[in-house]
């Protein structure tokens, strides 16, 4: 994958920094379609112009992977938007302290935990994406890397992206 193909999938916004289109990735049958599925970090600081950019890109469904404490502290700008279907589907049902048995788990341990213990939430996210009626689907967490990354990895694996 070239640097330009990665950059062309990145959506530049003022209020979010990790927003990308999952289209344009190579599979055995061609490329994933652009403008269908997007991943992002937190959206609470999006400007009106940023929100319009996402609408113009075709986003019509937003799935918030954060738990209720995160959402309460930094509400999603699309939560009450009449043009966007908004779903709260927390991967973790409560805040995760990051400490288990007296130590801080490493990323592989956290990812195993998500895959092993958060299956119901993951299934709900994937079903919501599959059932989206029209327009693009954007899913996000706070930084757009761990919870969002797991969902992205599963989706891309399903369609044959290395």
């Amino acid at each position: 994958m070239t640097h330009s193909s990665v950059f062309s999938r990145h959506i530049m916004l003022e209020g979010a920094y990790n927003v990308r289109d999952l289209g344009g990735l190579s599979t055995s049958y061609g490329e994933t379609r652009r403008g269908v599925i997007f991943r992002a970090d937190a959206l609470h600081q999006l400007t009106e112009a940023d929100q319009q950019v996402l609408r113009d890109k075709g986003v019509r469904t937003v799935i918030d992977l954060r738990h209720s404490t995160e959402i309460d502290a930094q509400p999603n700008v699309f939560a009450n938007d009449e043009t966007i279907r908004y779903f709260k589907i927390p991967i973790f049902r409560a805040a995760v302290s990051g400490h288990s048995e007296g130590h801080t788990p490493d990323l592989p341990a956290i990812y195993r935990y998500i895959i092993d213990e958060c299956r119901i939430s993951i299934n709900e996210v994937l079903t919501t994406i599959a059932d989206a009626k029209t327009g693009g689907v954007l899913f996000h967490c706070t930084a757009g890397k761990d919870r969002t990354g797991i969902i992205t990895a599963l989706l891309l694996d399903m369609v044959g992206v290395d």
Side-chain angles (χ1 to χ4, degrees):
M1 181 181 321
T2 66
H3 175 70
S4 62
S5 66
V6 172
F7 184 74
S8 68
R9 291 184 299 105
H10 186 259
I11 300 168
M12 301 298 291
L13 300 172
E14 186 177 328
Y17 307 98
N18 193 8
V19 182
R20 291 176 270 165
D21 186 335
L22 295 184
L25 298 169
S26 296
T27 70
S28 59
Y29 60 86
E31 286 187 346
T32 55
R33 286 187 6 211
R34 294 181 188 268
V36 177
I37 300 179
F38 303 85
R39 64 177 288 171
D41 55 329
L43 305 178
H44 65 284
Q45 293 183 323
L46 293 182
T47 65
E48 289 290 331
D50 290 341
Q51 294 170 51
Q52 191 58 49
V53 166
L54 293 176
R55 284 187 205 94
D56 291 346
K57 294 274 184 191
V59 171
R60 296 297 177 267
T61 300
V62 170
I63 302 170
D64 196 331
L65 305 176
R66 301 173 302 155
H67 58 79
S68 59
T69 304
E70 291 173 291
I71 293 170
D72 291 345
Q74 299 174 327
N76 191 301
V77 297
F78 292 115
N80 298 308
D81 187 308
E82 294 182 13
T83 65
I84 302 289
R85 290 177 303 280
Y86 174 74
F87 296 88
K88 290 187 287 189
I89 307 174
I91 294 295
F92 305 120
R93 298 298 174 172
V96 177
S97 69
H99 298 282
S100 174
E101 300 172 15
H103 69 282
T104 302
D106 58 9
L107 280 179
I110 292 169
Y111 293 167
R112 281 191 300 276
Y113 173 82
I114 291 171
I115 294 296
D116 293 341
E117 303 298 328
C118 303
R119 293 181 193 151
I120 292 171
S121 296
I122 290 169
N123 181 61
E124 189 175 349
V125 171
L126 297 177
T127 300
T128 301
I129 292 168
D131 289 346
K133 301 292 185 235
T134 60
V137 177
L138 180 148
F139 56 93
H140 76 95
C141 59
T142 298
K145 60 182 190 74
D146 298 321
R147 292 167 282 186
T148 297
I150 292 284
I151 298 299
T152 299
L154 292 170
L155 286 169
L156 296 178
D157 184 62
M158 283 190 270
V159 298
V161 173
D162 283 339

